[in-house]
């Protein structure tokens, strides 16, 4: 990690984020816009603007994005986002700051020493429909997503799980045979991106997230990843720092609130 510039790590952290969410355009029922100056994907329940530069976006085009199925439109402002004054005004008038993320990364070959695995913890890739339902239950609870999203999430991730590809997998950690921690691993150009990581509320403060991260980093290493990146909220940042992740960039996420 030290041999690579902070600028390079920030760049791949943002690129992996964009590529991860644009991956969902391959699933049925999705819509997307992908150009040099604007990237958006709608894959119910996800509806996200991932990148925009100074080229102005037509209001009529934005109106279409606002009324896609699923969550209110989330607009992700990353390090390379460049908005015109018109677009900034649109955000200020119609969106609220929803979350702030810290881009983090580490060199897979320079992770901190692995902690002893907690007794009763088990880690596995999601391959069955039962495991997928367990994964979604923890994901929805952990991120406090509407329960009504479960069906759309199941249909979306089932397509990904059953597709013939090796670079997007779901993983679940069990504690005493109960679903405890979930997340996904997205491999792209030798970079391992960790997404959707959360712990069930009744399983927190047991060190299970650290066990999960150490396990998934071993998988990333086995798949030949050179670096691993993720995007942390303030609440989860300290957990990733314990494993060895270093902050490199910041992201602001705005949610559409209506006119």
């Amino acid at each position: 990690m030290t041999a690579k510039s902070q600028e390079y790590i920030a760049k791949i952290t943002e690129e992996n984020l964009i590529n991860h969410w644009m991956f969902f355009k391959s699933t049925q029922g999705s819509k997307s816009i992908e150009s040099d100056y604007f990237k958006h994907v709608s894959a119910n329940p996800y509806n996200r603007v991932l990148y925009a530069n100074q080229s102005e976006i037509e209001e009529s085009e934005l109106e279409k994005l606002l009324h896609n199925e699923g969550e209110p439109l989330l607009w992700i402002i990353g390090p390379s986002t460049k908005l015109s004054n018109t677009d900034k005004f649109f955000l200020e008038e119609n969106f609220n700051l929803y979350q702030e993320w810290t881009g983090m990364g580490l060199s897979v070959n320079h992770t901190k020493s692995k902690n002893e695995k907690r007794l009763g913890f088990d880690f596995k890739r999601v391959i069955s429909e039962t495991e997928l339902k367990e994964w979604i239950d923890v994901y929805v609870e952990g991120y406090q997503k509407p329960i009504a999203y479960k069906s759309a999430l199941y249909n979306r991730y089932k397509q990904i799980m059953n597709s013939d590809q090796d670079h997007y997998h779901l993983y679940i950690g069990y504690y005493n045979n109960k679903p405890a921690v979930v997340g996904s691993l997205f491999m792209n150009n030798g970079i391992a991106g960790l997404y959707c990581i959360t712990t069930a509320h009744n399983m927190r403060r047991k060190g299970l997230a650290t066990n999960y991260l150490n396990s998934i980093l071993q998988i990333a290493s086995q798949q030949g990843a050179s670096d691993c990146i993720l995007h942390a909220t303030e609440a989860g940042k300290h957990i990733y720092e314990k494993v060895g992740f270093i902050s490199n960039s910041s992201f602001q996420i705005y949610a559409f609130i209506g006119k």
Side-chain angles (χ1 to χ4, degrees), residues 4 108-109 166 185 187-192 216-228:
K4 298 169 184 174
V108 173
N109 294 324
D166 292 323
L185 173 62
M187 294 290 298
N188 187 254
N189 296 324
I191 307 301
I216 207 165
L217 284 170
Q218 289 180 18
I219 297 293
S221 177
Q222 291 167 9
Q223 293 190 17
S226 58
D227 295 277
C228 187

Side-chain angles (χ1 to χ4, degrees), residues 17 21 48-50 74-79 97-104 143 145 195 230-234 237 247-254:
L17 173 80
W21 289 113
R48 305 187 173 196
V49 171
L50 306 167
L74 295 184
W75 193 308
I76 299 174
I77 307 295
L97 183 63
Y98 170 66
Q99 283 183 334
E100 294 187 79
W101 299 343
T102 300
M104 307 184 78
Y143 279 104
K145 299 286 186 183
Y195 295 92
L230 54 80
H231 304 80
T233 61
E234 191 60 33
K237 185 179 172 185
S247 301
N248 61 59
S249 53
S250 61
F251 296 77
Q252 292 77 47
I253 294 80
Y254 288 84

Side-chain angles (χ1 to χ4, degrees), residues 5 47 55 70 78 80 87 92 94 122 161 165 184 195 197 202-203 210 217 247 257 259:
S5 71
N47 185 28
S55 297
S80 65
D87 296 327
E92 290 167 359
N94 300 291
D122 188 31
M161 187 178 75
Q165 49 78 27
S184 61
Y195 295 92
I197 297 176
N202 66 336
M203 295 289 185
T210 301
L217 284 170
S247 301
I257 57 171
K259 293 186 176 180

Side-chain angles (χ1 to χ4, degrees), residues 27-221:
T27 58
Q28 293 179 357
S30 64
K31 305 174 186 176
S32 64
I33 302 171
E34 189 169 15
S35 70
D36 291 339
Y37 70 90
F38 192 77
K39 299 185 190 299
H40 163 267
V41 65
S42 171
N44 187 21
Y46 301 117
N47 185 28
R48 305 187 173 196
V49 171
L50 306 167
Y51 170 75
N53 74 10
Q54 285 187 335
S55 297
E56 291 191 23
I57 302 145
E58 294 292 334
E59 186 170 346
S60 60
E61 289 299 314
L62 281 174
E63 285 292 335
K64 295 176 184 177
L65 309 186
L66 299 178
H67 296 98
N68 284 325
E69 290 183 300
E71 65 188 359
L73 180 65
L74 295 184
W75 193 308
I76 299 174
I77 307 295
S80 65
T81 297
K82 294 172 183 162
L83 294 172
S84 69
N85 289 334
T86 303
D87 296 327
K88 287 179 182 177
F89 176 79
F90 181 85
L91 281 175
E92 290 167 359
E93 290 296 311
N94 300 291
F95 289 75
N96 268 352
L97 183 63
Y98 170 66
Q99 283 183 334
E100 294 187 79
W101 299 343
T102 300
M104 307 184 78
L106 60 70
S107 171
V108 173
N109 294 324
H110 293 86
T111 57
K112 291 185 176 180
S113 297
K114 304 292 187 295
N115 295 329
E116 289 292 327
K117 189 169 81 169
R118 185 179 179 91
L119 187 64
F121 180 80
D122 188 31
F123 173 87
K124 65 189 300 185
R125 177 182 161 192
V126 174
I127 57 174
S128 72
E129 293 187 9
T130 298
E131 292 161 355
L132 178 58
K133 290 176 181 176
E134 292 174 334
W135 189 97
I136 290 170
D137 285 343
V138 175
Y139 174 76
V140 167
E141 186 214 339
Y143 279 104
Q144 298 183 309
K145 299 286 186 183
I147 293 176
Y149 284 5
K150 283 188 177 182
S151 177
L153 286 165
Y154 177 82
N155 291 333
R156 192 69 54 191
Y157 282 104
K158 184 179 178 181
Q159 291 181 58
I160 291 174
M161 187 178 75
N162 292 338
S163 63
D164 185 19
Q165 49 78 27
D166 292 323
H167 52 275
Y168 199 120
H169 294 156
L170 307 179
Y171 291 91
I172 186 167
Y174 294 88
Y175 181 57
N176 292 335
N177 298 317
K178 295 180 180 179
V181 192
V182 300
S184 61
L185 173 62
F186 175 69
M187 294 290 298
N188 187 254
N189 296 324
I191 307 301
L194 306 187
Y195 295 92
C196 304
I197 297 176
T198 189
T199 304
H201 286 282
N202 66 336
M203 295 289 185
R204 294 179 179 180
R205 296 180 177 85
K206 301 178 186 293
L208 302 178
T210 301
N211 275 240
Y212 181 94
L213 287 167
N214 286 332
S215 298
I216 207 165
L217 284 170
Q218 289 180 18
I219 297 293
S221 177

